[in-house]
Amino acid sequence: MAFHTDTILISNHDILTRFVMTPLRALGRFIIKVSEATAQARLLHELNNMSDAQLEAWGMTRAEATAKFLSIRS
C-alpha cells in the first residue's frame, strides 16, 4: 500500500509577500469605502439642501428623491 502525502511548500518570499500585502490590501479597501461614504454623504447633503420647488422642477417629491438615493446607494 502506497502512502502519499500532499505537501505544500511555501517559500520565505511567499510568506513575506502575504505578510506585507494582506494589511495593505485591507487598508486599500478601507480607503475606498471611506471615499465612497464621503461621496454619498455629500450627495445626501446636497439633496437635503434642495428646496421642494427644485425637487418639483425635477418632477419628484422629497420622499421619491430620498428613495431613489437610497436605492442607488445599496
Side-chain angles (χ1 to χ4, degrees):
M1 177 161 75
F3 182 71
H4 179 70
T5 60
D6 291 329
T7 58
I8 300 173
L9 297 175
I10 300 175
S11 69
N12 288 340
H13 179 268
D14 292 337
I15 292 171
L16 183 60
T17 301
R18 289 180 186 178
F19 181 74
V20 171
M21 292 305 295
T22 300
L24 289 177
R25 285 187 185 117
L27 179 61
R29 286 190 300 268
F30 175 75
I31 290 171
I32 289 170
K33 287 185 181 224
V34 167
S35 66
E36 288 173 349
T38 302
Q40 291 172 355
R42 186 173 45 249
L43 287 172
L44 184 59
H45 183 70
E46 290 176 13
L47 174 65
N48 192 39
N49 287 336
M50 291 179 78
S51 68
D52 289 334
Q54 289 172 315
L55 289 171
E56 188 177 331
W58 282 13
M60 61 177 65
T61 65
R62 186 165 303 277
E64 292 169 342
T66 304
K68 187 172 185 176
F69 173 79
L70 293 175
S71 68
I72 291 171
R73 205 177 125 222
S74 57

